[in-house]
Amino acid sequence: MDLGKSFFTKLQILRYRLMGIEQYVIDPEREYTNLVKNVDGVILKIGPTANTYINILDIRKESIEDERGYLATKISRLIGFFNLIFGYMNEEEKAILEDKIIKCYKDKNITFDDDSLYKDKNKKNFKTTHDMPRLEDLYNILGEEKKTKKMQIKLIPFVKGSLKYFNEYTNLELNNKLIVADIYELGEENIKYGMYLFTDLFWDKIKKNRNIKKAIYLDEIWQMIGITANKDVASFIYKIFKTIRKYGGSSIAITQDISDLFSLEDGAYGKSILNNSSNKIFFSLEEENISILSKYTNLSEKEKIEIRNLNRGECLIFAGDEHILTKIDCSDYEENIIK
Ligand SMILES: Nc1ncnc2c1ncn2[C@@H]1O[C@H](COP(=O)(O)OP(=O)(O)O)[C@@H](O)[C@H]1O
Ligand SMILES: [Mg+2]
């Protein structure tokens, strides 16, 4: 249903752009293109006809979190990514996969010792994408044993097939204050991989400098933590929502389908994202979603009726304890830029 979520997001991006805030957008529907062109942002495209690549196996200097170490941080991210590809994995399968990932990095002389991420002893030069393994390296390792053969087969498209642009070294740079990831070309089936890839990349970029104000927008986020509904992906997203303020940032999740978001772990992840959001904006919802929502927020009976009857561009904003019925409006000048 087209109710104005992306329109409102574009308007915010435009206004933040004028304020000089650094912004990262994941755009699965190719609808931010005009806006980006009009304000001289950058569009990063991956897909079959693009010649820009990102290697999911890259470990970046700014990726480190909670003193866990580079490789450990990367492994937990990768488990999320491979969950999207392999589907549900039990603890044993995850452990086996982890073992193979460790081997994959070890072959490139990268270990749990953080010093191994540097090219030199005095730690001046961090390793680059060309020092990292690629999916093909993992693919080969997974083929060495019978018990991981199944995983290897699922990687075929990413190494040799229609998605083989995932098997390249990174060749793009992020040096604009507005960066939009256009993953439209991946198509419905594969869009989640692109979302995860860019979320991983942008999240590291966001952590680079705490003193710069920034925002990340994840449009149609249900594609990543909806249908596939897996814990490792959801907890990565949740972590962003929980910790981004610490890095001077804000995160905006945009979704049509609330039921998907609340399907996992009895709604625990959806709830955490809601609780960690200082503003919540509801456009018109249908009965089923209203009843889910009323379980997790303090919607009054009157508001339930209001939400059901909202028109395009109208919304109910929760800002702290205030609930405000709002119409999203902008000047013709702004509308020309964002449409
Ligand atoms: N507040 C608004 N004022 C004018 N046009 C709007 C407004 N909200 C949405 N639209 C238009 O309605 C259409 C659908 O809006 P969109 O934001 O893409 O929906 P959603 O993201 O919720 O699916 C778009 O063409 C958009 O330009
Ligand atoms: Mg939209």
Side-chain angles (χ1 to χ4, degrees):
M1 291 278 278
D2 301 333
L3 301 165
K5 300 184 296 295
S6 299
F7 185 90
F8 177 64
T9 308
K10 283 182 247 181
L11 196 56
Q12 173 165 337
I13 293 170
L14 171 59
R15 291 173 180 174
Y16 273 17
R17 175 77 168 165
L18 301 175
M19 293 161 74
I21 293 171
E22 202 174 281
Q23 301 183 91
Y24 301 93
V25 187
I26 298 189
D27 176 15
E29 301 193 317
R30 194 170 281 167
E31 52 185 340
Y32 292 82
T33 315
N34 279 344
L35 163 65
V36 175
K37 285 185 181 150
N38 288 332
V39 299
D40 291 325
V42 163
I43 296 169
L44 300 179
K45 205 168 96 177
I46 59 161
T49 71
N51 48 19
T52 41
Y53 310 108
I54 304 161
N55 179 9
I56 186 70
L57 294 169
D58 281 353
I59 299 180
R60 290 172 285 264
K61 190 165 186 213
E62 48 282 345
S63 65
I64 200 154
E65 282 167 23
D66 315 330
E67 276 102 48
R68 280 179 68 204
Y70 282 108
L71 187 55
T73 304
K74 189 76 223 187
I75 289 171
S76 73
R77 303 260 198 102
L78 284 174
I79 298 286
F81 182 71
F82 289 118
N83 237 311
L84 293 174
I85 300 174
F86 300 152
Y88 173 78
M89 288 184 275
N90 63 32
E91 292 309 315
E92 189 190 338
E93 288 163 331
K94 273 190 214 171
I96 292 169
L97 176 61
E98 175 163 342
D99 185 49
K100 301 297 178 194
I101 295 173
I102 292 169
K103 179 163 192 310
C104 186
Y105 282 97
K106 186 145 194 290
D107 290 348
K108 299 283 171 184
N109 295 317
I110 294 170
T111 65
F112 285 104
D113 176 1
D114 282 345
D115 289 351
S116 69
L117 267 309
Y118 290 86
K119 286 177 190 264
D120 47 354
K121 280 234 160 58
N122 42 11
K123 300 216 280 182
K124 281 219 160 65
N125 297 301
F126 202 83
K127 288 189 172 170
T128 69
T129 186
H130 291 278
D131 304 308
M132 301 292 158
R134 287 179 304 157
L135 283 178
E136 192 170 356
D137 298 308
L138 183 64
Y139 173 88
N140 290 333
I141 291 171
L142 292 173
E144 287 168 3
E145 265 193 284
K146 202 165 162 223
K147 63 180 179 191
T148 47
K149 205 79 193 170
K150 256 201 182 134
M151 291 181 183
Q152 189 201 30
I153 290 168
K154 288 193 175 161
L155 274 190
I156 290 175
F158 295 84
V159 176
K160 305 178 171 184
S162 58
L163 297 165
K164 66 176 193 295
Y165 45 89
F166 278 89
N167 188 41
E168 301 280 346
Y169 293 114
T170 304
N171 68 348
L172 48 82
E173 283 187 25
L174 308 179
N175 43 20
N176 191 290
K177 282 197 152 190
L178 173 59
I179 296 178
V180 171
D182 177 348
I183 50 173
Y184 181 74
E185 264 183 29
L186 269 67
E188 218 172 311
E189 289 270 293
N190 301 315
I191 225 132
K192 54 182 185 275
Y193 309 125
M195 279 190 171
Y196 199 88
L197 187 68
F198 274 108
T199 308
D200 182 60
L201 177 72
F202 288 167
W203 179 228
D204 284 348
K205 179 78 180 163
I206 282 167
K207 288 184 295 183
K208 201 167 180 173
N209 185 344
R210 289 173 190 235
N211 300 317
I212 296 174
K213 272 199 181 163
K214 71 270 284 189
I216 182 169
Y217 303 82
L218 309 167
D219 206 342
E220 305 285 348
I221 195 171
W222 61 270
Q223 309 235 33
M224 192 161 49
I225 49 177
I227 350 167
T228 43
N230 85 61
K231 245 167 76 177
D232 295 280
V233 177
S235 61
F236 173 44
I237 303 299
Y238 166 51
K239 171 157 204 175
I240 294 179
F241 276 77
K242 215 177 109 191
T243 51
I244 194 164
R245 253 160 295 173
K246 194 166 88 180
Y247 300 103
S250 56
S251 41
I252 298 94
I254 305 145
T255 193
Q256 176 61 44
D257 210 317
I258 309 192
S259 57
D260 269 347
L261 221 53
F262 283 93
S263 62
L264 201 59
E265 302 269 302
D266 221 10
Y269 287 99
K271 204 171 141 191
S272 325
I273 290 179
L274 269 189
N275 289 343
N276 278 285
S277 302
S278 43
N279 296 317
K280 305 173 241 304
I281 305 175
F282 302 105
F283 290 81
S284 181
L285 289 173
E286 282 168 14
E287 206 55 55
E288 185 201 348
N289 281 320
I290 293 175
S291 68
I292 295 170
L293 195 62
S294 59
K295 269 208 285 193
Y296 300 99
T297 58
N298 54 339
L299 272 184
S300 70
E301 289 306 315
K302 183 167 164 273
E303 285 167 339
K304 285 185 199 169
I305 297 167
E306 281 166 352
I307 286 196
R308 205 173 309 144
N309 294 308
L310 293 170
N311 294 313
R312 174 193 276 177
E314 295 173 349
C315 56
L316 185 63
I317 299 184
F318 286 24
D321 292 332
E322 304 279 339
H323 296 186
I324 312 150
L325 213 48
T326 310
K327 180 161 179 10
I328 308 301
D329 221 342
C330 66
S331 65
D332 291 345
Y333 180 72
E334 286 176 313
E335 190 162 338
N336 281 329
I337 293 174
I338 66 180
K339 268 211 166 160

